[in-house]
Amino acid sequence: MSQQKPIKKAVFPVAGLGTRFLPATKAIPKELLPIVDRPLIQYAVDEAREAGIEQIIFVTGRGKTAIVEHFDVAFELEATMKERGKDMSVLEPTRATPGDIITVRQQVPLGLGHAIWCARAIVGDEPFAILLPDELMVGEPGCMKQMVEAYNEVGGNLISVLEVPQKEVSSYGVIAPGASVSDTLTEVAGLVEKPPVAEAPSNKIISGRYILQPEVMRTLENQGKGAGGEIQLTDAMAKMIGNQPFHAVTFAGSRYDCGSKTGFVEATLALALQREDMGEEVRAIAERLLAK
Ligand code: UTP
């Protein structure tokens, strides 16, 4: 039996401006852009629920209220669908248990670390998960479930990592790996946000999933600006190394960086190809386009 405090809360920072997707994200939050027919935020919430998370905390900002609407009951829509005898099962994952979704506001997007800190009162004194919805993680089990399983073994703080070509590391948070615990679990000796390629301690990047101890909130409290002039979560986590256990889990599955346009297109294609209801048709379309 695990001795760890269970992970019941997850923070979803969704207050970013999504400038890479303008003009699409002028009026629509990036997190509601769909991969095939499910918005990005839905994939992340489903992944968290699969891992046993009960409380969903959205850190929102201006223009992001549609995200909360997505998880509400759409009374007129449901009444009309019922009247017309339509299958309503697609709406099932959008139904939140009353009281399970909490929002806090990040008034100014000062960075990911600042967004997480905005949730401190709700997180309280419990370890908690963080999921960045624009990183789409596809696996069985899902990434957060894999992390919770590792957390039950080692406790402390955990991040999911994956390997990228060395030349790409400067866009990400990078780990300096410590002792390896198993094939998929390693200690983290250091962390650095967006290092120059030549100075990167490895090609293992942080991939948008975290399980952190509540002490990170106190570290963030006094955190100055880091890379890109933003308050970086990576900098706060780096300060915790040495004081608390810190591990990285290599995710067994596929990850799509849906914060970038090419990653978004890749995710759309990959997931459409995997679908039973359309995979074959999409494959034929892709082949036809490639033959041109
Ligand atoms: P990104 O670095 O992808 O930034 O944030 P962004 O604003 O969403 O997108 P671009 O770069 O302008 O296109 C990673 C995650 O952190 C959240 C974002 O919503 C996203 O989920 N975030 C970022 C915040 O909630 N607040 C911030 O101040 C910054």
Side-chain angles (χ1 to χ4, degrees):
M1 267 294 273
S2 144
Q3 300 299 304
Q4 319 300 342
K5 260 192 179 176
I7 309 296
K8 295 290 172 202
K9 297 181 178 181
V11 178
F12 297 74
V14 294
L17 297 176
T19 54
R20 283 171 288 172
F21 277 88
L22 284 170
T25 47
K26 188 178 171 199
I28 297 168
K30 173 172 77 171
E31 298 77 12
L32 284 183
L33 297 179
I35 300 295
V36 188
D37 52 10
R38 249 161 101 199
L40 281 169
I41 190 72
Q42 182 78 62
Y43 288 95
V45 166
D46 291 350
E47 181 190 328
R49 285 181 175 145
E50 181 205 13
I53 302 288
E54 290 169 2
Q55 201 169 55
I56 309 288
I57 304 162
F58 291 139
V59 181
T60 68
R62 286 175 63 76
K64 299 281 185 161
T65 41
I67 295 174
V68 184
E69 298 282 331
H70 176 78
F71 291 96
D72 200 355
V73 173
F75 183 76
E76 295 87 344
L77 174 68
E78 294 197 9
T80 312
M81 285 177 77
K82 210 176 212 165
E83 210 177 274
R84 297 185 185 167
K86 299 235 183 234
D87 174 17
M88 307 225 292
S89 61
V90 284
L91 293 177
E92 206 45 52
T94 68
R95 284 173 180 277
T97 309
D100 272 7
I101 290 189
I102 296 174
T103 64
V104 290
R105 195 99 164 179
Q106 184 192 28
Q107 289 91 339
V108 184
L110 296 177
L112 176 59
H114 181 260
I116 301 304
W117 179 75
C118 290
R120 67 200 177 282
I122 301 165
V123 165
D125 201 24
E126 285 179 42
F128 64 106
I130 302 170
L131 295 93
L132 308 194
D134 52 3
E135 298 265 352
L136 176 55
M137 312 295 271
V138 181
E140 281 183 23
C143 184
M144 188 45 71
K145 189 160 186 197
Q146 292 180 25
M147 291 179 71
V148 166
E149 281 165 8
Y151 168 81
N152 288 339
E153 297 296 318
V154 291
N157 301 276
L158 274 159
I159 48 179
S160 87
V161 292
L162 51 92
E163 290 187 23
V164 296
Q166 191 77 27
K167 62 179 182 352
E168 290 175 19
V169 289
S170 52
S171 309
Y172 299 100
V174 180
I175 71 159
S180 116
V181 179
S182 71
D183 282 356
T184 53
L185 195 61
T186 170
E187 281 179 10
V188 176
L191 289 169
V192 47
E193 185 64 35
K194 300 189 176 64
V197 173
E199 289 166 30
S202 77
N203 66 340
K204 288 192 170 173
I205 62 154
I206 309 176
S207 60
R209 299 292 182 271
Y210 315 72
I211 290 176
L212 298 178
Q213 297 298 317
E215 285 75 19
V216 71
M217 295 298 191
R218 289 193 270 289
T219 313
L220 280 167
E221 179 100 34
N222 305 307
Q223 179 81 30
K225 290 178 181 169
E230 297 197 331
I231 298 174
Q232 296 287 356
L233 180 62
T234 305
D235 297 342
M237 293 190 302
K239 288 191 187 133
M240 294 166 76
I241 295 170
N243 299 325
Q244 291 189 347
F246 218 113
H247 291 88
V249 184
T250 302
F251 170 53
S254 306
R255 166 258 191 188
Y256 304 97
D257 177 7
C258 294
S260 85
K261 286 177 230 187
T262 45
F264 189 90
V265 173
E266 183 191 3
T268 304
L269 255 181
L271 271 66
L273 285 168
Q274 283 165 23
R275 290 259 300 235
E276 268 181 30
D277 59 341
M278 64 168 81
E280 228 170 278
E281 206 178 328
V282 173
R283 185 173 303 279
I285 292 169
E287 280 167 4
R288 204 166 62 230
L289 289 173
L290 286 170
K292 271 191 188 166

